Amino acid sequence: MKKIEFNKELMDSLFIAVGFILIAFSITSILKPNGLITGGITGLSIILEKLIHIKYTYIYYVLSILVLTIAWISMGKREGIKIITLSIIFPFVLIVFEKFNFYFIRDDMMLASIYFGLICGIGSGLVLKRGFSMGGTDTIAKIIHHKIFTFVNVSEILLCIDGTLIALSAIVYSLNIALYAIISQIIVVIVINTVMFGFGSKKVKLEIISNHHKDITEYIIHSIKRGVTSYEVKGCYKNLAQLKLLTICSPRESMLIKRYISQTDPDAFVDVLPVISVWGKGVGFDSLSGE
């Protein structure tokens, strides 16, 4: 058991290290030298650098610690511990890479947007694939959802936050910069989903066994806005009947559900299956009529 836990921690560390390097490289060697903007804390830090003339890496560090503190106070110790390491280490990695002054590509904003989206998407996907959070705007979205807009989907709040930052970049910089930000952000999301779930599926099926099935069902229906099917199963090891939940959602929504389950019932059992196509009524599903 200890060997398994050690191997898991080793793989977690490896994925996070590679992810951090790729993200920091994409920001310091591609995004910043080309005067581009992205969403999240990175984009906010660069915009604030333009306005208050303080190095964006230091602003990033302060914002990360601020988000960590707010998460710790508003959502409890468990949520704070989940992001404390990443919130402290990544800004330090970013500062180190900034010292290198290495430029991967310059004077071609379209190529820079594409390369940034690809490299940052791979790095972020590696971190998210191991179940970690960067402690950025996704955490802010969760706090807003948890404390203020409980009736609004977390992903919708996140979209509003990043959309606001990109709109702000159009005011501070230009409309062209905002357009490139949108392009790179789309590529980042596509690459993250590809890293996490491969090329074969735009939807996934979650099968969940938990003693807190009522809370999980409520969360999926009211927060994620997806349907849930439940049926009784019996485990052969203990010969006990339990309720299994089944839902179909996007890869990103599956990660939101996973995070909620990890907070509600860390002992739950969840398996994720890729879905080639879904026919029926639902967000992102194909119509049976083919229209």
Side-chain angles (χ1 to χ4, degrees):
M1 183 63 70
K2 289 184 178 180
K3 185 178 180 180
I4 294 174
E5 291 179 357
F6 173 78
N7 289 338
K8 181 183 180 302
E9 291 177 359
L10 183 64
M11 289 302 296
D12 285 347
S13 301
L14 179 62
F15 272 64
I16 290 171
V18 174
F20 276 6
I21 290 171
L22 291 175
I23 297 170
F25 173 80
S26 68
I27 294 171
T28 59
S29 300
I30 302 175
L31 187 78
K32 195 65 171 63
N34 288 278
L36 295 172
I37 289 291
T38 185
I41 287 183
T42 302
L44 180 58
S45 301
I46 295 174
I47 291 172
L48 289 176
E49 180 188 49
K50 176 81 171 178
L51 296 174
I52 63 179
H53 307 293
I54 297 176
K55 196 71 174 175
Y56 78 98
T57 48
Y58 302 126
I59 297 175
Y60 191 106
Y61 217 133
V62 172
L63 291 177
S64 295
I65 299 301
L66 181 62
V67 171
L68 168 63
T69 304
I70 295 173
W72 192 291
I73 294 172
S74 63
M75 301 186 71
K77 182 178 179 181
R78 179 182 292 175
E79 186 68 22
I81 289 175
K82 286 171 59 180
I83 64 174
I84 187 169
T85 304
L86 306 188
S87 297
I88 293 174
I89 294 178
F90 178 69
F92 175 74
V93 175
L94 193 62
I95 291 172
V96 171
F97 268 77
E98 182 71 17
K99 300 293 183 183
F100 291 151
N101 288 322
F102 175 76
Y103 302 140
F104 179 71
I105 187 170
R106 295 194 72 173
D107 302 324
D108 192 326
M109 298 181 74
M110 178 58 76
L111 275 181
S113 299
I114 295 171
Y115 274 116
F116 171 77
L118 290 172
I119 297 173
C120 183
I122 293 172
S124 300
L126 291 175
V127 174
L128 292 171
K129 192 176 182 70
R130 304 306 294 184
F132 289 89
S133 168
M134 293 296 292
T137 48
D138 58 335
T139 301
I140 296 173
K142 287 176 67 177
I143 294 171
I144 293 174
H145 168 75
H146 184 70
K147 292 295 183 180
I148 305 174
F149 300 116
T150 56
F151 54 89
V152 181
N153 195 322
V154 174
S155 60
E156 292 173 353
I157 297 174
L158 182 60
L159 180 63
C160 289
I161 294 173
D162 287 340
T164 301
L165 291 176
I166 292 174
L168 183 60
S169 71
I171 299 173
V172 177
Y173 291 89
S174 68
L175 289 174
N176 284 346
I177 295 297
L179 178 60
Y180 287 123
I182 293 171
I183 293 171
S184 63
Q185 199 72 5
I186 291 172
I187 296 172
V188 166
V189 172
I190 292 172
V191 173
I192 286 175
N193 287 339
T194 302
V195 171
M196 292 174 62
F197 298 98
F199 290 95
S201 177
K202 295 181 180 178
K203 294 288 179 289
V204 293
K205 179 171 72 172
L206 298 185
E207 295 181 341
I208 307 160
I209 298 177
S210 169
N211 292 327
H212 297 260
H213 52 82
K214 289 184 179 179
D215 293 332
I216 296 170
T217 300
E218 288 290 313
Y219 175 77
I220 294 174
I221 292 175
H222 297 296
S223 296
I224 304 298
K225 308 297 184 184
R226 291 291 184 182
V228 180
T229 300
S230 64
Y231 55 94
E232 192 175 275
V233 295
K234 182 177 287 188
C236 294
Y237 184 72
K238 292 184 178 180
N239 202 34
L240 295 176
Q242 291 180 293
L243 205 64
K244 175 183 281 191
L245 306 179
L246 186 150
T247 187
I248 295 177
C249 59
S250 71
R252 177 172 181 78
E253 289 168 341
S254 73
M255 296 308 299
L256 296 175
I257 295 170
K258 175 180 179 289
R259 289 177 192 172
Y260 177 80
I261 295 174
S262 69
Q263 298 169 20
T264 307
D265 182 11
D267 297 322
F269 178 84
V270 182
D271 65 270
V272 184
L273 303 171
V275 176
I276 296 174
S277 183
V278 182
W279 297 336
K281 291 185 178 179
V283 179
F285 296 170
D286 296 327
S287 172
L288 277 166
S289 64
E291 295 177 355

